[in-house]
Amino acid sequence: MDSDNELEDLCSRVIFQLHKICDDLKLLTEKYMQVHGFDFLLLTDISEDSASTNAVTWLGMTTAERLKHNITAYLALEKKLERVVGEQAQLLSPRETDLHGNLHSMLQQVSALRGQLEQMGTILGSSEESTTDTDEVEGADGRVFEVKLRGYKVLTELNVWVVRSVKDVRKIRRERTVKKEEMVKEGE
């Protein structure tokens, strides 16, 4: 039962962290768009995100598979955010240090979230080392506009994963609660 309580507590903390990231990300994306002059553009559907698994496929996955996909996605997003932070450090003027600081803070939050998701995998007995191909992250290319756009795409992709992850963690918690209730009924 300790693992059930630990998982319940961890799910609550992860959901809280996801909501905080969502709130911070909204403000960060607005600031990013404003600083880079995207505030006049309607930037929809330009993200080539890793959250492209269709809903039917996603619904057919086990919670362990979903969790693994989440962990892998956040690992990739960490790498992408590291690149964005580095690029923005070179691109931003000294007056825009708050945007750079907010990007760095978001990177730290994503890293912490990934760690919590890995801990959740360990509790559920489905922990595997997640790896991601970093080839797409390593390249040093792009004109200034492409660099700015890449940062926006990473923030957009992160938003998609945060929304998906809230649903997935709630599903994990709900399934665990149902399983726990069934065990109690069997014990009576």
Side-chain angles (χ1 to χ4, degrees), residues 7-187:
L7 182 64
E8 177 66 30
D9 180 55
L10 187 56
C11 285
S12 296
R13 286 186 285 140
V14 167
I15 290 170
F16 178 81
Q17 181 68 23
L18 286 164
H19 285 296
K20 178 168 180 6
I21 288 173
C22 189
D23 292 343
D24 292 351
L25 189 57
K26 181 180 178 189
L27 297 173
L28 175 59
T29 303
E30 288 173 4
K31 179 72 173 175
Y32 188 93
M33 291 177 67
Q34 177 188 22
V35 166
H36 290 303
F38 290 157
D39 53 338
F40 65 91
L41 296 176
L42 180 58
L43 296 173
T44 58
D45 205 30
I46 62 170
S47 179
E48 301 167 10
D49 60 68
S50 62
S52 61
T53 305
N54 69 40
V56 174
T57 303
W58 199 256
L59 288 172
M61 289 181 177
T62 66
T63 53
E65 290 170 327
R66 287 183 185 197
L67 186 58
K68 183 178 179 187
H69 280 288
N70 274 272
I71 293 167
T72 302
Y74 286 112
L75 183 59
L77 284 163
E78 263 185 271
K79 301 288 185 202
K80 291 176 183 181
L81 275 170
E82 285 173 2
R83 180 179 183 183
V84 169
V85 167
E87 289 172 341
Q88 295 300 310
Q90 296 172 0
L91 195 62
L92 295 171
S93 73
R95 293 177 295 136
E96 296 153 341
T97 56
D98 60 327
L99 176 59
H100 188 263
N102 290 341
L103 284 166
H104 194 269
S105 174
M106 184 59 61
L107 173 60
Q108 291 173 329
Q109 289 182 61
V110 168
S111 179
L113 175 64
R114 182 187 47 81
Q116 289 178 324
L117 291 171
E118 288 173 344
Q119 184 181 359
M120 191 177 296
T122 301
I123 293 170
L124 291 171
S126 63
S127 65
E128 296 178 27
E129 279 298 314
S130 44
T131 58
T132 187
D133 186 7
T134 58
D135 289 345
E136 70 176 282
V137 178
E138 296 298 326
D141 63 341
R143 295 170 282 160
V144 172
F145 180 75
E146 291 170 346
V147 169
K148 291 177 181 182
L149 190 58
R150 181 173 28 253
Y152 174 78
K153 287 180 177 183
V154 170
L155 296 177
T156 302
E157 181 180 356
L158 178 57
N159 187 60
V160 170
W161 272 105
V162 166
V163 171
R164 177 174 277 179
S165 296
V166 168
K167 294 175 185 175
D168 291 341
V169 173
R170 284 184 177 151
K171 182 174 176 30
I172 289 170
R173 184 168 59 182
R174 196 171 38 251
E175 286 178 358
R176 194 63 163 210
T177 301
V178 168
K179 186 177 179 181
K180 190 175 166 181
E181 288 171 356
E182 288 173 355
M183 289 174 62
V184 167
K185 286 181 182 178
E186 288 175 6

